[in-house]
Amino acid sequence: MTTEQTSDRRPPHVVILGGGFAGLTAARTLRRAAVRVTLVDRRNHHLFQPLLYQVATAALNPADIAYPIRSVLRGQPNVRTILARATRIDPVARRVDLFDGHLDFDYLIVATGATHSYFGNDDWEQWAPGLKTVEDAIEIRRRVLSAFEAAERQTDPAQLPATLTFVVVGAGPTGVELAGALSEIGRITVAKDFRSFDPRTLRVVLVEHAPRVLPVYSERLSASAKLQLERLGVEVRTGSRVTKIDQTGVWFGEEHLAARTVLWAAGVAASPLGKDLQVEVDRAGRVAVAPDLSVPGHEHIFVVGDLMRFEEDGAMVPGVAPTAIQSGRHAAKNILALLAGRPTRPFHYRDKGSLATIGRAAAVGQVGKLELSGFFAWWIWWMIHIAYLIGFRNRIVVMIGWAWQYFAFSRGARLITGRTWEPARDAERRA
Amino acid sequence: MTTEQTSDRRPPHVVILGGGFAGLTAARTLRRAAVRVTLVDRRNHHLFQPLLYQVATAALNPADIAYPIRSVLRGQPNVRTILARATRIDPVARRVDLFDGHLDFDYLIVATGATHSYFGNDDWEQWAPGLKTVEDAIEIRRRVLSAFEAAERQTDPAQLPATLTFVVVGAGPTGVELAGALSEIGRITVAKDFRSFDPRTLRVVLVEHAPRVLPVYSERLSASAKLQLERLGVEVRTGSRVTKIDQTGVWFGEEHLAARTVLWAAGVAASPLGKDLQVEVDRAGRVAVAPDLSVPGHEHIFVVGDLMRFEEDGAMVPGVAPTAIQSGRHAAKNILALLAGRPTRPFHYRDKGSLATIGRAAAVGQVGKLELSGFFAWWIWWMIHIAYLIGFRNRIVVMIGWAWQYFAFSRGARLITGRTWEPARDAERRA
């Protein structure tokens, strides 16, 4: 439906694809510029992905960490937000095709991010969902809570261990967070809710191909994270390669680990739009950008956030929120430079440190040469995430939710929606 | 999977079907009794249905008004909660078939409630969803928010009015609440969020077959409710019979009302389990119970809540939360009487009055002979609903959500999940 022509009389048209940290920061950076901005996202909400695992583990509501993009940009008159799916970029014609229409642009910022990758085994997804969207989180929550419900009704004691085994594949920050939270759910949250089994007997196995958990951290912090995970009751299994996942569990070559619930927290697959830009992409589909974040050969197109491949000092900048925010802002500033006839400037990533939370009062962090772990790291993690959360109301609600969870050892969003583990009428109707 | 035999050595087995107000109250009433209670629900959560319209209109999160049933009953050792779907009742063999197993009972309380009815036009449901479950509420929220998104991208001005027309069929409490909230969303919540149209131009039409809104209230309160609705910008159309609903809107005989969004808030269809009891059911499928709430001919089976048809002083007791709570408690007490060898007692409904909210500072209420309307009725409504909400945390969060909505004119849960109005990738994947 949306079909727009740029005309010489109107201000230049900047199209931003994606309303994540990168796209939203880019739009805000252009707030005083004499440009028309169109921000396109196929969701109506900005999602605070660092806290998505808390939705998956029933601690937060989806709306606590998701905020309507157009509300964030409400006060910025030069931005128009549209809910649409970009299907193709034509960098030469300067045009973006939408599922239902198209947009012509003078400048383009591509910030469509990345999702998880099954390394060519896409059929594993049905048995081991990943965590990128609100729907993913609700589906994981459904599976986790349903496993306990199934255990309550399990009449064959031989099958109980598999019903209560949760496997998390991938020990990056998301995998570590999920594993810690799963263990806490069984050992604390629902510990007294069941009659025919003891939820504290659950088994959480965190599987990692690399020789240690949180491989991007220092060896010392990895060791600390492993210790903290084990204290929370998580079995850590590093150096293990998953060869198959099916409805019975996970296979490591000939070895079988029986598990009803398997979650996927590995791999990176960049947005397919990167391939339209007619330049080099890496194995994950990320676009190798020029030093100023533009696409080589197309100085009016910029790629930022998780979709960008940017190396500095021989290392790739990590796919985290600070990178997205910094690169989004930088690309917008370079567009302002081009508009003013000034040269663009190269991007430099400022590493403000990194933190990974593990569970109640458990985390590790690295700020420059300083290494943190335990309660203090967890507390800093908490403060930073509150500060970043967009939307004042969300901040209060999240704080209350966390305080409640911490002091009352409860989780407030233990809802099974969608399909229940038996085919309920609604699920059938909607299927 | 669950297959249980009752034995003479174990305490009598009371099975309760349904974890709504009626079933939950019944289970709690039995807390000190020497019985084994099994509560069966096909959802894991008790749903506070009086506030469900607030989820549908993006003011509250699903988990704010839904609470895990087994957590509510955690401290009651004689209750076991199972997530299962009851498919059939055999009143003579005293047995409930589940989708995957069965339960034998000594006493049974059927509290499986009712849903909306399309009066034989079930194909209307796809164009006009009703509001009974969390999934329903999320679907309605998706449609309402998506209508504004579609309007923003509407390039044909002739189609804009239909895109911004919302029809609510049925002017009982739910229909009145939905209509008031829809008008408020357009005129206040998202009023400044869009660029290519003015959301305040939305049209909300409340359709009712009867000659007045809220037909169970007095004529004076109906008139007051109509006035309050019109002040909020709702068009009230009484004495109108809907003859057809399709993707273009609503038909009244030859007359067509073009509308993208139609919501259904009419009719009652009782749970199909009532028909298994081999006794008289009314047109809506409700079971005509004996004065003590038992099923005629089966003194060990009780029907309570919305599934029950109970007349007192020539009028049917209304299908509201107080009826469910009172009847659930009464049936449980009669089971205790039977166990003690005492006679059962007849049920008497205590009418504590009724309240219907319309919108910001707008409501009507009837307490005995006292009639209330406007801000005061709304304030009482608010206090009562907070007091009834199960779960301390929910109470706080709901209060904050409401205070926020009232003072900041905002709604905190404006999330479009599931299918976006264009077929997004995730929707395709899950379809």
Side-chain angles (χ1 to χ4, degrees), chain B residues 158-419:
Chain B
Q159 286 185 30
L160 195 58
T163 307
L164 286 174
T165 298
F166 299 79
V167 177
V168 179
V169 182
T174 301
V176 165
E177 285 160 351
L178 281 173
L182 287 175
S183 189
E184 193 174 305
I185 288 176
R187 279 170 231 281
I188 299 173
T189 317
V190 302
K192 290 171 190 156
D193 279 9
F194 294 89
R195 300 286 181 255
S196 61
F197 73 101
D198 183 348
R200 287 169 297 185
T201 60
L202 95 167
R203 187 178 171 201
V204 180
V205 184
L206 178 62
V207 176
E208 170 61 46
H209 185 207
R212 54 195 179 87
V213 302
L214 296 175
V216 301
Y217 284 74
S218 74
E219 287 202 26
R220 207 175 117 206
L221 285 180
S222 276
S224 168
K226 179 166 184 278
L227 197 71
Q228 293 184 62
L229 281 163
E230 285 167 351
R231 259 193 227 131
L232 291 170
V234 175
E235 283 174 46
V236 177
R237 184 175 171 144
T238 48
S240 284
R241 202 166 76 85
V242 172
T243 52
K244 188 181 160 189
I245 300 176
D246 62 18
Q247 68 270 48
T248 67
V250 177
W251 299 79
F252 309 95
E254 292 300 298
E255 189 194 341
H256 182 237
L257 174 56
R260 177 191 164 98
T261 313
V262 184
L263 306 180
W264 188 261
V268 176
S271 156
L273 287 174
K275 298 191 184 74
D276 293 348
L277 298 172
Q278 305 167 348
V279 290
E280 186 195 342
V281 298
D282 69 6
R283 274 211 313 182
R286 284 173 294 220
V287 177
V289 290
D292 67 351
L293 303 184
S294 69
V295 174
H298 300 289
E299 64 159 17
H300 54 290
I301 301 182
F302 296 82
V303 174
V304 294
D306 285 354
L307 179 58
M308 140 190 114
R309 184 183 179 88
F310 187 83
E311 286 182 25
E312 197 164 45
D313 306 331
M316 228 193 91
V317 301
V320 294
T323 305
I325 291 169
Q326 293 174 28
S327 62
R329 189 185 301 126
H330 193 83
K333 284 184 175 170
N334 275 343
I335 288 175
L336 294 177
L338 291 172
L339 287 167
R342 288 184 277 113
T344 61
R345 297 173 64 175
F347 176 63
H348 295 293
Y349 173 60
R350 276 184 303 153
D351 184 359
K352 294 182 173 173
S354 40
L355 283 159
T357 184
I358 296 163
R360 175 181 296 268
V364 292
Q366 208 157 338
V367 183
K369 295 206 166 164
L370 186 68
E371 297 191 339
L372 310 166
S373 63
F375 182 84
F376 187 59
W378 177 79
W379 190 80
I380 295 198
W381 179 92
W382 197 93
M383 296 306 291
I384 289 176
H385 282 78
I386 289 288
Y388 266 101
L389 251 190
I390 289 174
F392 174 67
R393 174 182 183 271
N394 288 357
R395 245 174 263 179
I396 295 184
V397 173
V398 169
M399 270 196 283
I400 289 175
W402 283 351
W404 181 259
Q405 185 190 335
Y406 188 76
F407 293 111
F409 292 84
S410 181
R411 282 167 187 263
R414 298 211 305 285
L415 219 58
I416 300 179
T417 54
R419 294 169 290 159

Side-chain angles (χ1 to χ4, degrees), chain A residues 216 286 305-306 308 310 315-324 349 351 354:
Chain A
V216 301
R286 284 173 295 220
D306 283 355
M308 140 190 115
F310 188 85
M316 229 194 91
V317 300
V320 293
T323 305
Y349 173 61
D351 184 359
S354 41

Side-chain angles (χ1 to χ4, degrees), chain B residues 74-91:
Chain B
R74 171 192 284 172
Q76 191 173 331
N78 67 348
V79 178
R80 190 171 158 233
T81 305
I82 63 173
L83 177 68
R85 175 144 73 93
T87 53
R88 208 176 70 90
I89 299 168
D90 186 332

Side-chain angles (χ1 to χ4, degrees), chain B residues 5-132:
Chain B
Q5 299 296 326
T6 53
S7 101
D8 290 328
R9 290 194 201 129
R10 294 207 282 171
H13 189 205
V14 181
V15 170
I16 301 173
L17 302 182
F21 286 117
L24 217 44
T25 308
R28 283 171 149 178
T29 305
L30 296 169
R31 64 189 175 280
R32 290 199 193 87
V35 293
R36 289 174 298 132
V37 178
T38 302
L39 192 147
V40 181
D41 201 296
R42 64 197 175 98
R43 310 261 165 194
N44 81 322
H45 50 273
H46 168 78
L47 181 64
F48 192 81
Q49 268 183 355
L51 292 181
L52 192 57
Y53 84 97
Q54 298 223 355
V55 175
T57 54
L60 291 178
N61 282 300
D64 297 340
I65 60 159
Y67 205 76
I69 295 168
R70 62 173 68 261
S71 294
V72 177
L73 299 171
R74 171 192 284 172
Q76 191 173 331
N78 67 348
V79 178
R80 190 171 158 233
T81 305
I82 63 173
L83 177 68
R85 175 144 73 93
T87 53
R88 208 176 70 90
I89 299 168
D90 186 332
V92 178
R94 300 198 182 186
R95 177 184 163 126
V96 174
D97 287 338
L98 308 176
F99 181 82
D100 47 0
H102 75 271
L103 292 165
D104 293 311
F105 60 82
D106 299 302
Y107 299 92
L108 177 68
I109 298 178
V110 189
T112 45
T115 183
H116 37 264
S117 156
Y118 290 86
F119 307 117
N121 302 290
D122 287 350
D123 57 309
W124 294 358
E125 186 179 13
Q126 58 186 311
W127 313 116
L131 183 62
K132 267 292 173 185

Side-chain angles (χ1 to χ4, degrees), chain A residues 221-241:
Chain A
L221 284 180
S222 276
S224 168
K226 178 165 186 279
L227 197 70
Q228 294 184 62
L229 281 163
E230 285 167 349
R231 260 194 226 129
L232 290 169
V234 175
E235 283 175 45
V236 176
R237 187 179 167 139
T238 47
S240 284
R241 202 166 77 86

